């Protein structure tokens, strides 16, 4: 069953239900930050949950999981940029530790492009910078998505659209 709260952000007030979902991240700790297939950023927050798939026995995922897909991002300190999605993957892997084991102090969404900023309690900030220009025709991948502890997934896509739908944990590969 799919539940879409808002399909297109046309005014600032459309962000209210969106913000209610992502505000659940505040206070959660990022205990794992890494790169997935294609060097996409994946962050695990909150309670550690064992995977149910036999192939993943002994591994854990976060109650909250943030993933990027073809979206530029950067991690900033108060005085400089620490690392960006454009850096070499080995450098990225080394510098992701700046946000690991840090709690989320605030979450902000920019209107109208739905750029996400996550501010950590150690004064580092992760900024996701979606390219809201039309992508390739027929491709409908989200710029970023957040899996929640409520078996739902929030997906943000092109044209300032988003959806909040049921996620099937059995098919999740993150």
């Amino acid at each position: 069953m799919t539940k879409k709260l808002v399909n297109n952000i046309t005014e600032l007030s459309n962000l209210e239900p969106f913000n209610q979902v992502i505000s659940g991240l505040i206070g959660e700790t990022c205990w794992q930050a890494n790169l997935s297939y294609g060097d996409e950023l994946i962050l695990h927050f909150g309670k550690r949950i064992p995977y149910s798939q036999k192939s993943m026995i002994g591994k854990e995922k976060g109650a909250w999981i943030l993933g990027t897909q073809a979206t530029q991002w950067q991690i900033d300190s108060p005085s400089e940029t620490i690392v960006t999605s454009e850096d070499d993957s080995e450098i990225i892997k080394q510098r992701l530790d700046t946000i690991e084991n840090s709690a989320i102090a605030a979450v902000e969404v920019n209107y109208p492009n739905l750029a996400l900023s996550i501010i950590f309690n150690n004064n580092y900030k992760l900024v996701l910078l979606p390219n809201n220009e039309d992508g390739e025709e027929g491709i409908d991948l989200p710029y970023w998505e957040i899996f929640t502890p409520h078996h739902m997934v929030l997906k943000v896509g092109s044209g300032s659209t988003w959806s909040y739908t049921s996620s099937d944990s059995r098919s999740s590969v993150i």
Side-chain angles (χ1 to χ4, degrees), residues 90-126:
E90 290 306 313
I91 291 171
I92 293 172
K93 290 174 187 175
Q94 292 171 7
R95 295 188 181 159
L96 284 177
D97 66 349
T98 58
I99 59 173
E100 282 186 339
N101 301 312
S102 299
I104 296 176
V107 181
E108 301 169 353
V109 177
N110 185 10
Y111 172 79
N113 70 351
L114 304 182
L116 177 69
S117 295
I118 298 176
I119 298 94
F120 293 90
N121 65 351
N122 61 0
N123 292 320
Y124 287 99
K125 177 166 62 170
L126 168 66

Side-chain angles (χ1 to χ4, degrees), residues 50-109:
Y51 281 97
S52 58
Q53 299 94 332
K54 288 183 182 181
S55 63
M56 302 292 280
I57 288 180
K59 296 184 180 183
E60 298 172 313
K61 61 183 176 179
W64 295 84
I65 303 171
L66 169 67
T68 64
Q69 295 183 6
T71 297
Q72 293 183 349
W73 55 267
Q74 63 191 48
I75 298 174
D76 297 325
S77 75
S79 60
E80 66 181 335
T81 297
I82 303 299
V83 67
T84 75
S85 55
E86 301 298 312
D87 291 332
D88 180 76
S89 62
E90 290 306 313
I91 291 171
I92 293 172
K93 290 174 187 175
Q94 292 171 7
R95 295 188 181 159
L96 284 177
D97 66 349
T98 58
I99 59 173
E100 282 186 339
N101 301 312
S102 299
I104 296 176
V107 181
E108 301 169 353
V109 177

